[in-house]
């Protein structure tokens, strides 16, 4: 995890490139910096590996102030894809990819294995390409090498400055997919700079939109698309994307917050009463404010037990408020239940969703859409 | 025509002497340039890494180059006496400028992107120098070496004035005896040497450049 707290950057010539930046880049997330040329994306990125030092504020990496870390060590644990690719023209592709492993003195066989695996990862045949020089590769191929060079030493943090800008749309999509898959597997903290809003929306967990050295808005792609903060954000995203993003309502908007629940020490009879009075077939169970599972009418009717805690089910999948309607429908169908529980990040029950809630929300949505058209 | 046959028979008769002179000539040049590399490359690197001392280093080697060669050898003779060593020191001074300057330019010329890539990947300053800047400056260095060699082969021809050997012996004695044949017998091999050095080093320069540009 990386945290920037009230960070400012004034270059030697007096130009203030960054103004009071506060950001958190979470582990396992792809954080995309986007904004017009010159807004400070590259500068922000270079602060992280100390190619540029910030003028004030604090930057913490895994809780440690980078100002107190050895910059060389810091950089070796962060992969870096520079904006201009920057492959070393006098080194073969093999040596380029092996740059950091060699600095770290890995043994030969481990380096061989890594270079092969990475070349395969970006669809470049190792035997063909490893002996070539950068000038013997196309622009797009060079860019792939630039990316895997940053991945070679398995850093926890990867900084990528417009890494896919020179690729044709197909390879670009491929690499974007590759990056999101990779991310799901290896849980790195990725900071990614781009000019391309579609790319940002596709890969980002968090988008940070900047302008003139300031953060204008940050949030999930969905948040930016559905709640753009001001005209600049709207303009930057573009009306077409905003319209397309009029997505189906989120679980947050359709869930029933006024739900009935039971708790672990409640007696079976009480719980059954609740079910019958409210005409329900299942109840979420609370233990010490936390979600503990659920009980169904069938379990309760088995009879022999004393309290809810004896018949509790814990295998139900739950939703987050930010999930989409489709996810809610999928879970209802998959689990053959009438109701799915929605949990907050703190594992407290935020609400429940049933088919009726979903169909009402969808109905509202379509009526509104038709009104608009 | 007659002159050429005469020259050739002279050269054939004095084959052993001429070979010895050529050998001495080459040796003198190699020593001089070897010393210039040993001193000039570090100076060039220093100048490239420390902008503050660059003007000082570069203007010093420039000034040395401006001193006329005969005057330089004469001055050196005052301090080092007659002989081979003095000639080598002279050649060393003459080769210094192209080597220092080209090393300096070669190291400076490396694209800032590559420096940033090296640094960003976690190389120390010395590693950037060793793994990125120096390898990329080799074509420039080779060009400097080529210029230095051609100059040194030429300057070495006046070495006999300060008591050293080399092809200049033949030329100098040709001058005092007014023997055209002797002059040519010294000058032609010297010119061939210069052309040879230029060609070989030019070829190597192009080879080193191939990948990098
Ligand atoms: N070394 C420097 N000295 C002074 N100003 C600088 C320096 N480097 C960058 N700047 C300025 O800081 C601002 C932000 O630059 P930065 O490179 O971070 O922009 P960017 O958002 O990455 O732009 P782009 O999308 O064009 O890559 C620019 O106005 C730039 O001119
Ligand atoms: Mg940039």
């Amino acid at each position: 995890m990386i945290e920037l707290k009230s960070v400012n950057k004034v270059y030697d010539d007096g130009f203030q490139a960054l103004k009071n930046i506060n950001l958190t880049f979470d582990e396992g997330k792809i954080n995309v910096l986007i904004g017009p040329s010159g807004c400070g994306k590259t500068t922000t990125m270079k602060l992280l590996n100390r190619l540029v030092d910030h003028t004030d504020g604090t930057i913490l990496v895994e809780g440690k102030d980078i100002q107190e870390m050895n910059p060389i060590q810091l950089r070796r644990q962060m992969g870096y894809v520079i904006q201009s690719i920057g492959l070393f023209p006098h080194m073969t592709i093999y040596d380029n990819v092996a740059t950091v492993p060699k600095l770290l003195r890995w043994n030969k066989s481990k380096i061989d294995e890594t270079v092969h695996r990475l070349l395969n990862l970006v669809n470049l045949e190792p035997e063909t390409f490893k002996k070539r020089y950068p000038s013997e590769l196309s622009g797009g191929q060079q860019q792939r090498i630039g990316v895997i060079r940053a991945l070679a030493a398995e850093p926890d943090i990867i900084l990528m400055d417009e890494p896919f800008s020179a690729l044709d749309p197909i390879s670009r999509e491929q690499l974007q997919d590759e990056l999101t898959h990779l991310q799901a597997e290896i849980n790195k903290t990725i900071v990614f700079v781009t000019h391309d809003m579609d790319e940002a929306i596709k890969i980002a967990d968090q988008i940070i939109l900047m302008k003139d050295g300031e953060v204008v808005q940050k949030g999930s792609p969905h948040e930016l698309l559905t709640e753009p903060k001001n005209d600049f954000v709207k303009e930057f995203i573009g009306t077409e994307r905003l319209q397309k993003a009029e997505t189906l309502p989120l679980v947050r908007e359709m869930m029933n917050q006024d739900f009935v629940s039971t708790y672990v020490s409640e007696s079976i009879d009480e719980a059954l009463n609740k079910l019958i009075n409210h005409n329900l077939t299942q109840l979420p169970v609370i233990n010490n404010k936390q979600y503990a599972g659920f009980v169904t009418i069938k379990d309760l009717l088995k009879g022999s037990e004393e309290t809810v805690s004896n018949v509790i089910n814990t295998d139900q999948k739950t939703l987050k408020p930010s999930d989409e309607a489709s996810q809610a429908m999928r879970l209802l169908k998959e689990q053959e239940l009438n109701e799915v529980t929605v949990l907050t990040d703190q594992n407290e029950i935020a609400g429940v969703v049933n088919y009726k809630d979903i169909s009402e929300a969808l109905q509202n949505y379509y009526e509104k859409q038709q009104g608009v058209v | 025509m007659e002159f050429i046959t005469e020259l050739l028979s002279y050269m054939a008769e004095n084959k052993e002497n001429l070979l010895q002179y050529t050998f001495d000539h080459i040796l003198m040049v190699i020593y001089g340039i070897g010393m210039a590399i040993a001193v000039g490359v570090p100076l060039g690197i220093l100048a490239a890494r420390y902008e503050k001392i660059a003007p000082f280093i570069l203007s010093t080697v420039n000034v040395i180059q401006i001193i006329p060669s005969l005057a330089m050898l004469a001055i050196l003779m005052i301090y080092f006496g007659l002989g081979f060593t003095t000639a080598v020191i002279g050649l060393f001074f003459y080769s210094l400028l192209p080597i220092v300057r080209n090393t300096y330019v070669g190291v400076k010329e490396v694209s800032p992107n590559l420096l940033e890539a090296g640094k960003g990947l976690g190389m120390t300053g010395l590693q950037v120098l060793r793994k990125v800047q120096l390898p990329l400056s080799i074509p420039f260095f080779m060009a400097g070496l080529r210029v230095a060699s051609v100059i040194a082969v030429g300057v070495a021809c006046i070495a006999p004035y300060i008591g050293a050997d080399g092809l200049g012996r033949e030329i100098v004695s040709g001058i005092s005896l007014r023997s055209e044949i002797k002059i040519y017998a010294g000058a032609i091999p010297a010119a061939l040497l210069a052309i040879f050095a230029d060609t070989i080093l030019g070829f190597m320069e192009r080879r080193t450049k191939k990948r990098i540009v």
Side-chain angles (χ1 to χ4, degrees):
Chain A
M1 186 171 91
I2 306 173
E3 290 165 277
L4 286 82
K5 296 181 178 166
S6 324
V7 169
N8 287 291
K9 171 64 193 174
V10 181
Y11 276 112
D12 291 339
D13 61 3
F15 178 76
Q16 178 154 19
L18 295 176
K19 297 164 198 155
N20 192 32
I21 302 290
N22 288 287
L23 288 173
T24 305
F25 302 131
D26 279 323
E27 202 169 283
K29 297 280 192 268
I30 300 181
N31 303 276
V32 175
L33 296 169
I34 193 167
S37 187
C39 69
K41 306 180 294 291
T42 299
T43 303
T44 308
M45 181 162 280
K46 285 187 188 170
L47 293 184
L48 305 179
N49 65 2
R50 291 191 59 188
L51 283 179
V52 170
D53 275 321
H54 53 282
T55 4
D56 57 87
T58 321
I59 300 179
L60 302 176
V61 170
E62 314 300 349
K64 272 189 282 181
D65 189 338
I66 61 167
Q67 229 36 52
E68 278 149 32
M69 293 165 81
N70 176 335
I72 304 292
Q73 243 59 51
L74 181 76
R75 289 175 198 141
R76 286 184 188 172
Q77 67 189 44
M78 290 187 183
Y80 182 42
V81 185
I82 82 170
Q83 187 164 2
S84 51
I85 313 180
L87 297 184
F88 302 122
H90 59 295
M91 294 185 192
T92 59
I93 296 310
Y94 179 98
D95 287 331
N96 265 287
V97 177
T99 306
V100 188
K102 281 186 175 168
L103 291 174
L104 297 171
R105 301 184 189 289
W106 286 11
N107 65 44
K108 177 96 173 60
S109 59
K110 189 172 171 198
I111 297 180
D112 278 352
E113 189 266 316
T114 306
V115 173
H116 274 239
R117 182 171 50 76
L118 289 171
L119 282 171
N120 279 322
L121 180 73
V122 291
N123 292 320
L124 295 174
E125 217 287 302
E127 292 312 321
T128 318
F129 284 95
K130 69 181 184 186
K131 291 196 199 77
R132 289 207 192 166
Y133 284 84
S135 60
E136 299 161 348
L137 265 59
S138 74
Q141 290 168 338
Q142 292 182 18
Q143 211 160 37
R144 288 157 189 235
I145 302 300
V147 172
I148 60 174
R149 180 173 66 175
L151 301 177
E154 287 161 22
D156 299 325
I157 294 168
I158 303 169
L159 312 176
M160 309 175 104
D161 201 345
E162 306 197 20
F164 304 151
S165 59
L167 295 174
D168 59 284
I170 294 175
S171 341
R172 180 189 299 214
E173 293 245 327
Q174 248 173 24
L175 276 191
Q176 289 166 349
D177 290 339
E178 214 50 79
L179 185 71
T180 39
H181 286 158
L182 200 71
Q183 182 57 356
E185 271 169 44
I186 52 186
N187 239 27
K188 315 240 172 203
T189 307
I190 295 180
V191 183
F192 189 107
V193 171
T194 183
H195 267 114
D196 178 353
M197 199 63 191
D198 289 318
E199 181 165 77
I201 292 170
K202 177 166 178 194
I203 63 169
D205 294 297
Q206 179 182 220
I207 295 180
I208 294 123
L209 178 55
M210 298 177 68
K211 185 192 177 205
D212 300 335
E214 286 174 296
V215 174
V216 182
Q217 186 170 4
K218 57 186 172 189
S220 68
H222 189 268
E223 272 164 6
L224 258 78
L225 286 167
T226 52
E227 299 156 44
K229 201 164 162 182
N230 57 28
D231 288 344
F232 170 74
V233 182
K234 281 186 199 156
E235 197 184 322
F236 200 85
I237 296 175
T239 38
E240 200 181 318
R241 285 197 200 84
L242 287 172
Q243 270 166 7
K244 254 201 272 175
E246 287 277 326
T247 49
L248 295 177
L250 295 185
V251 165
R252 179 187 297 125
E253 297 154 40
M254 63 177 68
M255 70 188 179
N256 194 344
Q257 284 168 281
D258 195 18
F259 55 93
V260 187
S261 63
T262 176
Y263 46 93
V264 275
S265 56
E266 194 162 43
S267 74
I268 299 275
D269 285 349
E270 293 280 332
L272 271 175
N273 270 338
K274 281 185 183 168
L275 278 178
I276 291 158
N277 287 341
H278 292 90
N279 201 10
L280 294 168
T281 56
Q282 64 181 85
L283 284 175
V285 185
I286 298 176
N287 181 15
N288 205 1
K289 287 196 176 161
Q290 302 270 300
Y291 171 73
F294 71 107
V295 287
T296 63
I297 192 161
K298 229 161 67 190
D299 301 324
L300 293 171
L301 284 174
K302 275 181 196 151
S304 56
E305 307 295 343
E306 298 270 290
T307 62
V308 165
S309 65
N310 301 106
V311 292
I312 201 162
N313 287 297
T314 52
D315 56 351
Q316 187 192 20
K317 289 192 188 129
T318 57
L319 290 167
K320 294 195 294 282
S322 59
D323 283 332
E324 290 177 19
S326 54
Q327 172 75 354
M329 290 193 272
R330 188 171 325 120
L331 286 192
L332 281 170
K333 185 160 160 259
E334 247 173 48
Q335 310 192 96
E336 294 176 358
L337 292 169
N338 295 326
E339 202 172 84
V340 188
T341 317
V342 185
L343 298 184
T344 64
D345 287 344
Q346 287 75 40
N347 208 34
E348 288 167 19
I349 303 177
V352 296
V353 174
N354 59 29
Y355 280 116
K356 194 163 146 268
D357 299 326
I358 297 176
S359 68
E360 271 171 15
L362 289 181
Q363 194 181 353
N364 279 339
Y365 169 77
Y366 285 118
E367 275 170 10
K368 211 172 76 191
Q369 281 251 310
Q370 255 141 35
V372 170
V373 174
Chain B
M1 196 59 217
E2 205 177 308
F3 178 74
I4 293 177
T5 32
E6 235 176 288
L7 177 63
L8 285 178
S9 67
Y10 173 83
M11 285 174 85
E13 273 163 39
N14 295 278
K15 189 170 76 210
E16 253 155 55
N17 259 346
L18 283 174
L19 271 178
Q20 183 62 44
Y21 288 153
T22 310
F23 180 73
D24 290 339
H25 205 98
I26 294 174
L27 205 63
M28 207 156 35
V29 168
I30 288 179
Y31 277 8
I33 287 192
M35 275 169 65
I37 292 174
V39 175
V41 170
L43 279 181
I45 294 172
L46 276 180
R49 278 179 73 84
Y50 304 100
E51 262 318 291
K52 286 223 177 77
I53 57 171
F56 173 73
I57 293 178
L58 294 175
S59 46
T60 310
V61 290
N62 243 320
V63 166
I64 294 175
Q65 192 79 9
I66 291 169
I67 304 172
S69 43
L70 198 55
M72 158 98 82
L73 291 183
I75 295 167
L76 288 172
M77 192 189 66
I78 302 174
Y79 295 98
F80 298 99
L82 289 168
F84 181 77
T85 317
T86 313
V88 166
I89 295 174
L91 294 182
F92 156 71
F93 279 128
Y94 265 96
S95 314
L96 213 46
L97 174 69
I99 287 178
V100 172
R101 192 191 44 207
N102 282 41
T103 306
Y104 168 79
V105 172
V107 172
K108 290 293 297 179
E109 200 73 349
V110 173
S111 140
N113 287 330
L114 297 181
L115 302 185
E116 191 189 304
K119 205 174 162 194
L121 290 169
M123 291 185 189
T124 62
L126 272 182
Q127 283 166 333
V128 172
L129 180 67
R130 196 159 52 81
K131 290 170 182 264
V132 182
Q133 288 174 292
L134 285 184
L136 287 172
S137 72
I138 288 176
F140 288 87
F141 166 78
M142 290 303 295
L145 186 61
R146 186 161 61 91
V147 173
S149 311
V150 174
I151 295 176
V153 169
V155 173
C157 289
I158 56 170
Y161 285 117
I162 52 157
D165 286 322
L167 290 165
R169 274 254 177 274
E170 202 60 23
I171 300 171
V172 170
S173 78
I175 292 171
S176 47
L177 296 172
R178 298 184 184 277
S179 154
E180 232 172 295
I181 288 193
K182 268 174 111 51
I183 294 177
Y184 275 114
I188 291 171
L192 287 177
L193 266 188
I195 294 171
F196 180 70
D198 192 56
T199 315
I200 289 282
L201 291 169
F203 173 74
M204 287 167 67
E205 183 190 331
R206 278 190 301 280
R207 278 202 52 153
T208 55
K209 217 186 262 178
K210 208 175 77 191
R211 291 253 151 66
I212 295 172
V213 215

